[in-house]
């Protein structure tokens, strides 16, 4: 059976999905998504100044702000996959799986190809310039880039060219979206049963225990042998983690009681997340080059990592459900803007940071300048992109500006 014939059954799938109930409009998740993508700019500016591996590094890089980075690093991408699963659920409840798959592919794969060809190369070029003292021109590097050059080795790891760098989220999202479309097309009754089951069991303390148990189990057992690589075909820990969040969002999308309970328990989730964060920064401050953690302590740290991540997501969604569950003209505008922001932001940060080096600014001032300039240039670019028809699909926007000016339920990841 071909993929097309499988997904042609989607009319039954749509009926089954819609039978569960339309639910309320989850405006707060649009705001959460906007917040999460804005957070990427702050996080990636921070990556320039910490000791963790990143494409280029400031001369002032240190561990000073690493505790702040731990506030979001355990959960920021997981949150995006959760929200993407919610958006996918509502889209598949309104259109056939074949239409969903084709529109999703165009919306994701075209920007990915364009991004890898045009947006990402400056990142890789400046990386080899700084880390390997590469002396060739940018055009020389592009010739290597598009001919799959494998001669650059950084810290023992071969740089694969072409690369998708920060755009790795897009191929992962596309694969998960197509898989769920096929699943809906072949087993709509099973999807409805899973939604009913998760609606029955994801209540009370089970909202906390079941996900943390699963997430801790995979982190303890998979992380050492399969560390995150952003390699779509060999990234088993990331898939076990992110596919869980994507499917959780998909199955919980219409469970209004779940979102209401998150709002009720938001302070509990916040306190638990903060406690987990305090443990993590204490752990990584103590267990460094001078102290080696035991196996038991390592496993406990991984369990706390997932505990902190899940509770942080619950807290953010709970507070958003309580305070942000309303529409505003800015929501429509910013919902469209986040995809172009996402595509552009990391290259802008790296190029800006590289050119600001000659000013020798204090790290705190330089970081603030990077954040302000990145946001300003992203907004400027978005204003240009949304007005030029041929640029719009390259950045994940609808061809027709009039269509995207309407309420954009289909524009969410």
């Amino acid at each position: 059976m071909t993929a097309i014939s499988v997904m042609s059954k989607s009319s039954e799938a749509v009926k089954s999905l819609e039978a569960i109930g339309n639910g309320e409009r989850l405006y707060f998740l649009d705001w959460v998504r906007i917040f999460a993508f804005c957070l990427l700019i702050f996080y990636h500016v921070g990556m320039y100044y910490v000791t963790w591996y990143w494409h280029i590094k400031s001369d002032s890089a240190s561990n000073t702000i690493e505790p702040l980075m731990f506030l979001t690093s355990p959960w920021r991408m997981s949150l995006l996959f959760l929200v993407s699963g919610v958006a996918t659920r509502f889209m598949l409840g309104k259109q056939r799986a074949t239409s969903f798959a084709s529109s999703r592919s165009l919306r994701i794969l075209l920007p990915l190809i364009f991004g890898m060809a045009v947006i990402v190369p400056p990142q890789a070029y400046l990386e080899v310039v700084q880390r390997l003292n590469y002396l060739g021109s940018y055009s020389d590097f592009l010739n290597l880039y598009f001919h799959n050059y494998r001669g650059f080795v950084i810290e023992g790891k071969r740089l694969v060219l072409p690369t998708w760098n920060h755009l790795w989220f897009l191929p992962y999202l596309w694969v998960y979206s197509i898989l769920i479309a096929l699943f809906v097309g072949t087993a709509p009754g099973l999807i409805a049963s899973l939604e009913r089951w998760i609606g029955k069991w994801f209540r009370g303390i089970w909202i906390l225990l079941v996900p943390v148990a699963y997430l801790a189990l995979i982190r303890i057992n998979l992380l050492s042998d399969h560390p995150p690589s952003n390699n779509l075909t060999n990234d088993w820990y990331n898939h076990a983690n992110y596919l869980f969040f994507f499917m959780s969002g998909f199955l919980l999308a219409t469970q209004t009681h779940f979102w209401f309970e998150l709002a009720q328990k938001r302070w509990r989730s916040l306190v638990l997340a903060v406690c987990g964060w305090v443990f993590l920064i204490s752990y990584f401050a103590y267990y460094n080059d001078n102290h080696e953690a035991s196996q038991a302590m390592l496993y406990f740290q991984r369990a706390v990592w997932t505990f902190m991540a899940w509770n942080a997501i619950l807290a953010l969604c709970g507070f958003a459900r309580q305070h942000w569950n309303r529409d505003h003209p800015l929501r429509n505008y910013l919902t469209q803007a986040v995809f172009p922001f996402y595509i552009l932001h990391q290259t802008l940060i790296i190029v800006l940071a590289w050119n600001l080096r000659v000013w020798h600014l204090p790290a705190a001032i330089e970081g603030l300048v990077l954040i302000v300039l990145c946001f300003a240039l992203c907004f400027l670019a978005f204003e240009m992109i949304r007005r030029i028809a041929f640029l719009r699909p390259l950045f994940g926007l609808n061809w027709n500006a009039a269509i995207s000016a309407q309420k954009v339920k289909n524009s969410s990841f």
Side-chain angles (χ1 to χ4, degrees), residues 136-155:
S137 66
Y138 184 59
S139 60
D140 293 333
F141 173 79
L142 286 180
N143 183 55
L144 299 175
Y145 182 89
F146 289 113
H147 284 86
N148 307 106
Y149 183 68
R150 295 293 186 268
F152 296 124
V153 179
I154 301 173
E155 297 183 6

Side-chain angles (χ1 to χ4, degrees), residues 26-47:
L26 305 179
Y27 289 116
F28 71 94
L29 286 181
D30 286 336
W31 294 113
V32 167
R33 175 174 172 265
I34 291 164
F35 171 78
F37 275 100
C38 289
L39 191 64
L40 290 179
I41 292 179
F42 290 92
Y43 187 84
H44 286 140
V45 169
M47 286 296 291

Side-chain angles (χ1 to χ4, degrees), residues 351-372:
V351 172
L352 287 169
W354 184 259
N355 286 281
L356 283 174
R357 291 161 63 93
V358 298
W359 291 68
H360 302 290
L361 298 171
I365 295 176
E366 185 184 58
L368 181 60
V369 170
L370 280 174
I371 291 170
V372 171

Side-chain angles (χ1 to χ4, degrees), residues 178-192:
I178 297 304
L179 285 176
I180 196 63
L182 288 169
F183 200 33
V184 167
T186 55
L190 179 58
I191 292 289

Side-chain angles (χ1 to χ4, degrees), residues 51-314:
T51 60
W52 308 339
Y53 177 84
W54 203 53
H55 307 287
I56 66 171
K57 281 293 169 185
S58 167
D59 294 335
S60 303
S62 70
N63 59 7
T64 303
I65 65 169
E66 287 175 7
L68 291 177
M69 300 288 280
F70 276 119
L71 273 174
T72 61
S73 59
W75 54 266
R76 57 189 180 85
M77 294 307 301
S78 298
L79 174 65
L80 287 177
F81 279 105
L82 179 80
V83 176
S84 299
V86 173
T88 300
R89 165 61 181 85
F90 286 117
M91 283 188 279
L92 274 170
K94 296 178 180 298
Q95 60 186 132
R96 293 184 177 182
T98 48
S99 299
F100 167 81
S102 60
S103 63
R104 198 67 153 172
S105 297
L106 181 64
R107 185 68 63 87
I108 294 175
L109 296 183
L110 186 57
L112 174 63
I113 294 169
F114 172 75
M116 291 177 65
V118 177
I119 306 298
V120 168
Q123 300 180 30
Y125 171 67
L126 293 177
E127 183 173 6
V128 298
V129 168
Q130 184 186 60
R131 295 182 176 273
L132 301 178
N133 295 315
Y134 177 70
L135 299 178
S137 66
Y138 184 59
S139 60
D140 293 333
F141 173 79
L142 286 180
N143 183 55
L144 299 175
Y145 182 89
F146 289 113
H147 284 86
N148 307 106
Y149 183 68
R150 295 293 186 268
F152 296 124
V153 179
I154 301 173
E155 297 183 6
K157 184 177 180 180
R158 192 171 302 279
L159 184 62
V160 177
L161 301 176
T163 178
W164 47 48
N165 277 3
H166 70 291
L167 300 182
W168 67 268
F169 174 70
L170 298 181
Y172 283 57
L173 178 59
W174 178 76
V175 169
Y176 299 165
S177 299
I178 297 304
L179 285 176
I180 196 63
L182 288 169
F183 200 33
V184 167
T186 55
L190 179 58
I191 292 289
S193 297
L194 285 173
E195 287 191 311
R196 287 191 292 269
W197 178 86
I198 203 169
K200 177 181 178 181
W201 286 103
F202 263 51
R203 297 173 183 266
I205 194 64
W206 298 109
I207 293 176
L208 189 61
L209 295 182
V210 174
V212 170
Y214 168 79
L215 293 170
L217 184 66
I218 64 167
R219 191 167 182 86
I220 288 170
N221 288 283
L222 291 179
L223 188 61
S224 295
D225 293 332
H226 304 282
S229 65
N230 298 339
N231 179 340
L232 182 64
T233 60
N234 186 26
D235 200 11
W236 300 114
Y237 169 72
N238 267 348
H239 285 312
N241 182 56
Y242 294 138
L243 186 56
F244 168 82
F245 279 97
F246 181 83
M247 287 302 303
S248 295
F250 184 89
L251 295 174
L252 289 166
T254 58
Q255 309 297 332
T256 55
H257 71 84
F258 171 79
W259 305 109
F260 179 73
E261 189 164 347
L262 295 196
Q264 286 186 311
K265 301 294 183 2
R266 63 191 185 280
W267 285 106
R268 182 192 70 178
S269 299
L270 179 61
V271 170
L272 292 176
V274 170
C275 290
W277 171 67
V278 170
F279 171 83
L280 290 177
I281 61 176
S282 301
Y283 174 93
F284 287 107
Y286 181 78
Y287 291 109
N288 49 37
D289 295 336
N290 299 321
H291 300 87
E292 184 176 352
S294 66
Q295 191 84 328
M297 182 56 71
L298 175 63
Y299 288 167
F300 183 69
Q301 174 264 119
R302 291 180 178 179
V304 173
W305 180 285
T306 61
F307 178 81
M308 181 269 185
W310 181 247
N311 277 285
I313 290 174
L314 296 186

Side-chain angles (χ1 to χ4, degrees), residues 332-407:
N332 183 51
Y333 176 83
L334 293 175
T335 298
Q336 295 182 68
V338 290
F339 201 169
F341 269 53
Y342 163 69
I343 293 171
L344 292 168
H345 81 280
Q346 185 163 291
T347 296
L348 286 174
I349 291 170
I350 290 174
V351 172
L352 287 169
W354 184 259
N355 286 281
L356 283 174
R357 291 161 63 93
V358 298
W359 291 68
H360 302 290
L361 298 171
I365 295 176
E366 185 184 58
L368 181 60
V369 170
L370 280 174
I371 291 170
V372 171
L373 285 178
C374 185
F375 271 106
L377 290 174
C378 282
F379 273 114
L380 182 64
F382 173 62
E383 284 298 319
M384 179 181 68
I385 291 163
R386 74 191 189 106
R387 288 171 167 80
I388 301 176
F390 79 91
L391 287 179
R392 293 177 59 85
L394 299 179
F395 289 88
L397 303 178
N398 294 323
W399 281 96
N400 190 334
I403 294 176
S404 62
Q406 302 171 0
K407 290 185 176 181

